[in-house]
Structures are given as structure tokens and as C-alpha cells.
Amino acid sequence: MSTCSTVSQDLDEPIAGTAATATTWLLLEQPGPWGAKALTQSHLDPALGRALEAAAKGTGVRVALIRRPGRHADCGATAERQVYAAHTVPGNVWLHAATTHDPEQLLDLDFAALGMGDHHTFDSVLQGRRHTGEPLALVCTNGKRDRCCALLGRPLAAELASSGVEGIWEVTHLGGHRFSPTLLVLPYGYAYGRAQAHAVKEVLHGVQEGQIIVDGCRGNSAWERPGQAAELAVRSAAGEYAAEALSVVRTDGTAPRWEVTVAHVDGRHWRVVVAQGASLPPRSESCGASVLGSPARMDVVAVRELTMTTALAS
């Protein structure tokens, strides 16, 4: 069976620079089925879903629903729900957890502050605390959004959970169906595609050690797409895999060409040239798409380490 994910893989479409962008992720447990637009098409009150979308708009916060792997029974409105908030910008990475019986409490959060990396309202409103368990691996399984997410994502989530890996959740939408199975790993916010269970376990082990694995990595959600591709290219060129070692500090230019400055915590800087191309030949960007498209791709043209003088001048 040909799907958008098999076509993408057969055509060897590049995966770097394709992650969803969000400085902060706000995750609410919602059992039961999800529609294509899950915040307003699930057993969550659609008015609440619309209000959460409105509150998050323009703040850098991305709201998503999560559920445990397996059968999707809904235990009812009174069930205790897990809530997470994670900020992914290096230098201020955190993951806090809470529970609630009333998801409308989330509307009392300061979304602008969350997007900037301030977790105080999450902690005060929801009695949140720093997450001390295993890293979270959020596997996209929303088949109503794209069948690949169900066909490939649900078995991956189930396999990881049944093999004893902790921190596995199904999530509503991470973008890039054609890279299924896709997942997001928190707290650091790196997304992965075409994931296999053994590779996910390696990624999670790396995160526990404060290390990022670049194989199969789509990028860090903290950065826009050119920055995602540039940061991954510097990691590979410099052999630097410490989770919070690199930051995108400047992006000059507009599509289809950018110059991205990536900084290391030790003071080194790199200038990375990223060009936007089109993935050819045209293909379905989603199994539900009625027309063929040529998805944008981020191609790293050059990586150059700057001298200290050049870095200061820029």
C-alpha cells in the first residue's frame, strides 16, 4: 500500500528542518477518540478547545492532547487528567507536571509568560512541579489527521509501552505526516521522524544523559525551520551533542535563503547558509491531500565557524 510516508521515504526526502515550532508545549490528557482538529473534535468541550487555541495564539505555546497508548476508552469527565508544560529554549529548558479534574483551569494560565519560559502560573494554578520521571516521548497517532499516524504511530507507541519504556504518550498532531511515525521528545523539544522502537530507546537514553541524537532528527521546536536545519548541521560538523550546548542567535534573510548564526555556550559561533528548495517530484504531502505538492525542504549549503572577531562584529 502506497502512503504519503512510504512515498516520502522512497524518494529519500530530507527530514532536517521539518519540526513543528513551539517554544513551549502545553499537553492535556484527553482519553477517547480524536478528530482531525482534536482540540475541538474530541470528548474535550469544544468551547474549551477553541478558548485554548485563542489563548495560545501568538505566544509561542502549542497546545496538544495526549493519551495513554492502547485502547482509547474515555473514563468520563471526572477522571483526573495529566498535564505537562515544557519550555524548549536552550538555557532555560524545563518540564513541569500537574494533574487536574477540571481542564478549564488551563484558561487561568498566563500563556504569554509560558511562551517566554516562565512556569510560575503553571505551578500556582495547577500545583505544578518539576517532572522528575523519565523523559517524555510523544508519538503522533491521530489517524483522523492522517492515516499514516495511526497505521505507524499507534504500533510504535504500543511497542514502546509494552516493552517497559516509561514516559510514552500518544499525541494529537506534530506535523509532517509523511515522516510517520513521528515523535517529540521532552524536555529538550527535539522531534524525530521515520522512528523505529530501537532508535527511540537510544534517543531517550541519550536524553537521560543530556545528549541529542541527530539521526532521524527533524529539529528542535524552539527554532524556526531554517534554524532547526542549521543547528543540526552544526552538531554534526562540530561533533557536539550536548543537549543545551547550541542556540540559534540570529537569522538573516528570507525565503529561499537564510544566513543563520549558531552559538555555542563556550563562545564559539558558526554561520550556516540554508536554502529552501522543493522536494521533487511532486507527491502527496498527506494521505488526505487531493492534489500533489512539492514540500519545502531545508538544504544546508555551507557551515563556517567564525573567528571571535567576526562573531563579535556580527
Side-chain angles (χ1 to χ4, degrees):
M1 177 178 61
S2 179
T3 62
C4 65
S5 59
T6 57
V7 171
S8 175
Q9 186 156 14
D10 288 346
L11 294 175
D12 198 24
E13 182 181 351
I15 204 167
T18 65
T21 56
T23 55
T24 302
W25 292 82
L26 180 62
L27 309 169
L28 171 64
E29 183 178 4
Q30 176 56 59
W34 298 332
K37 298 180 179 179
L39 278 178
T40 55
Q41 296 175 341
S42 68
H43 289 180
L44 185 71
D45 180 354
L48 173 58
R50 286 190 292 272
L52 289 171
E53 287 178 333
K57 187 174 182 180
T59 65
V61 176
R62 185 168 175 134
V63 184
L65 303 181
I66 57 174
R67 63 191 176 195
R68 302 283 185 182
R71 299 189 63 182
H72 302 135
D74 191 344
C75 300
T78 59
E80 185 175 71
R81 300 163 186 254
Q82 186 69 45
V83 187
Y84 294 104
H87 190 62
T88 63
V89 178
N92 186 31
V93 168
W94 50 259
L95 171 60
H96 282 219
T99 57
T100 183
H101 288 88
D102 179 12
E104 292 215 3
Q105 284 187 296
L106 272 63
L107 294 178
D108 294 328
L109 299 175
D110 185 335
F111 280 76
L114 279 175
M116 295 294 290
D118 183 346
H119 53 72
H120 287 98
T121 62
F122 183 87
D123 295 346
S124 61
V125 170
L126 298 170
Q127 286 72 58
R129 69 251 177 232
R130 185 170 293 277
H131 175 68
T132 57
E134 302 295 322
L136 302 186
L138 312 171
V139 181
C140 184
T141 63
N142 191 350
K144 289 294 170 54
R145 191 87 184 196
D146 190 282
R147 62 178 174 169
C148 286
C149 299
L151 291 172
L152 301 174
R154 289 192 64 189
L156 174 64
E159 180 181 354
L160 290 167
S162 65
S163 66
V165 179
E166 297 182 11
I168 305 299
W169 291 87
E170 298 186 9
V171 68
T172 46
H173 181 51
L174 297 176
H177 326 291
R178 63 192 184 279
F179 303 121
S180 294
T182 64
L183 71 147
L184 176 75
V185 179
L186 297 174
Y188 297 117
Y190 285 83
Y192 291 82
R194 301 176 185 144
Q196 304 292 323
H198 66 88
V200 176
K201 292 176 183 178
E202 291 178 9
V203 167
L204 293 175
H205 178 72
V207 169
Q208 288 176 313
E209 302 294 323
Q211 299 286 306
I212 300 302
I213 289 178
V214 299
D215 288 345
C217 190
R218 300 175 62 193
N220 185 340
S221 77
W223 317 125
E224 297 295 329
R225 292 186 61 185
Q228 293 172 13
E231 189 242 31
L232 289 175
V234 171
R235 285 194 177 279
S236 296
E240 177 55 81
Y241 305 110
E244 294 187 74
L246 300 176
S247 292
V248 174
V249 295
R250 181 169 175 171
T251 301
D252 297 308
T254 57
R257 189 178 180 88
W258 301 267
E259 288 195 357
V260 181
T261 304
V262 178
H264 195 288
V265 290
D266 65 10
R268 286 180 290 165
H269 287 70
W270 290 262
R271 184 72 46 76
V272 184
V273 178
V274 181
Q276 178 178 300
S279 294
L280 297 173
R283 80 287 307 273
S284 293
E285 296 186 49
S286 170
C287 287
S290 58
V291 296
L292 299 180
S294 300
R297 52 185 282 172
M298 296 292 119
D299 293 319
V300 172
V301 177
V303 179
R304 179 169 63 93
E305 186 172 355
L306 303 179
T307 64
M308 188 63 69
T309 302
T310 305
L312 290 173
S314 64

